[in-house]
Amino acid sequence: MSPHAMFTAFATIVLREVRRFTRIWPQTLLPPAVTMTLYFVIFGNLIGSRIGDMGGFNYMSFIVPGLIMMSVITSSYANVVSSFFSMKFQRSIEELLVSPVPNSVILVGYVAGGMARGLGVGLIVTLLSLAFTRLEIHNLPVMILTVFLTSALFSLGGFINAMLATKFDDISIVPTFILTPLTYLGGVFYSIQLLPQFWQAVSMVNPILYMVNAFRYGILGVSDVNVGVALGMIVLFIAILSAVSLRMLKRGKGIRH
């Protein structure tokens, strides 16, 4: 395909994905906004007033970056896994696979669609947080880079989950039993400096810890981990998941029978 044709195919996939989640915004954009508002009220205002400062900041300011990142992770993942699996279930994905569109364009298109929803939800949650606390950006490039890389990573994760899923129940297993525990244990609500040495070491195995802390550094200037290492790990995971996704597409894993 010519570069122009590949760009047209890419833009078509992305536009379809954006139209899909904006058309059903009460299911895709509203629930995360309501959920995060409840977190702000319950954890930030009610519980946070009793906890006091965390990492040198009031508790509400401390948890806001983690909650924004949580919304980006779950929305990016959910968009791709639900959209691509629906295409599989309806057998319409086969029309795309037999077309001359390269697998890389298909993958990047779906990932970009997932990122559009993830970043959109993240922006909504950020605006909502301004009603509860003041955000003073410490390092804008780190903040933007972290949120974009994290959104891309979990969009890729959603793509792999959709490729492997054989029924609708399969697309909820990873978010329920893997993503949710890792997110809650990823330093969203606390600094791992509060944990005993053993549990600090265990927490360092959690990849979401690095994403939350890199994003928190971008906003507040504090982090429990080295920011350079955190960004490097995210890029490494993106490279690995991209290679896995392209290999699965080439082999038709979960699509061709």
Side-chain angles (χ1 to χ4, degrees):
M1 291 182 72
S2 67
H4 177 72
M6 287 194 291
F7 177 78
T8 301
F10 165 77
T12 301
I13 295 172
V14 175
L15 186 60
R16 186 186 63 210
E17 290 297 291
V18 171
R19 282 178 174 170
R20 173 183 169 273
F21 73 75
T22 52
R23 187 175 62 250
I24 54 173
W25 64 268
Q27 301 173 41
T28 56
L29 302 179
L30 186 59
V34 173
T35 301
M36 292 304 151
T37 300
L38 292 174
Y39 276 123
F40 292 143
V41 172
I42 297 170
F43 285 92
N45 280 349
L46 302 181
I47 298 177
S49 60
R50 297 177 179 270
I51 292 176
D53 288 353
M54 180 82 67
F57 296 87
N58 69 67
Y59 191 65
M60 173 67 85
S61 297
F62 183 84
I63 66 171
V64 162
L67 292 175
I68 295 171
M69 190 57 68
M70 182 193 296
S71 67
V72 170
I73 288 171
T74 54
S75 297
S76 300
Y77 193 96
N79 192 77
V80 181
V81 72
S82 60
S83 175
F84 194 81
F85 182 76
S86 295
M87 293 280 287
K88 270 179 57 178
F89 184 77
Q90 297 164 1
R91 313 293 293 181
S92 54
I93 192 63
E94 295 173 356
E95 299 173 7
L96 186 60
L97 293 176
V98 298
S99 70
V101 180
N103 289 337
S104 58
V105 174
I106 296 174
L107 177 63
V108 174
Y110 274 97
V111 168
M115 290 176 65
R117 175 173 162 187
L119 296 173
V121 170
L123 179 60
I124 292 171
V125 173
T126 301
L127 294 175
L128 287 172
S129 72
L130 296 177
F132 298 92
T133 188
R134 232 178 115 190
L135 294 180
E136 294 183 3
I137 309 303
H138 173 75
N139 191 317
L140 185 62
V142 169
M143 185 192 77
I144 293 175
L145 184 61
T146 302
V147 74
F148 268 80
L149 290 177
T150 301
S151 181
L153 176 60
F154 284 93
S155 294
L156 284 165
F159 188 87
I160 293 174
N161 188 180
M163 290 283 287
L164 295 173
T166 57
K167 54 184 183 297
F168 277 101
D169 289 344
D170 293 341
I171 68 175
S172 63
I173 292 175
V174 172
T176 303
F177 295 104
I178 298 178
L179 279 188
T180 300
L182 288 180
T183 302
Y184 279 98
L185 297 174
V188 172
F189 298 102
Y190 59 87
S191 168
I192 64 169
Q193 303 300 326
L194 300 175
L195 302 176
Q197 199 66 36
F198 172 77
W199 290 109
Q200 286 189 37
V202 171
S203 297
M204 299 299 282
V205 180
N206 183 353
I208 293 181
L209 175 75
Y210 295 88
M211 303 167 198
V212 169
N213 274 277
F215 190 67
R216 182 174 286 134
Y217 175 81
I219 295 180
L220 302 179
V222 297
S223 174
D224 292 331
V225 299
N226 183 286
V227 175
V229 171
L231 293 173
M233 287 186 63
I234 300 173
V235 171
L236 177 62
F237 281 124
I238 288 175
I240 293 172
L241 294 191
S242 296
V244 171
S245 299
L246 288 172
R247 181 170 176 78
M248 292 174 69
L249 267 177
K250 183 178 180 181
R251 295 174 58 190
K253 182 71 174 177
I255 301 174
R256 299 190 181 106
H257 303 284

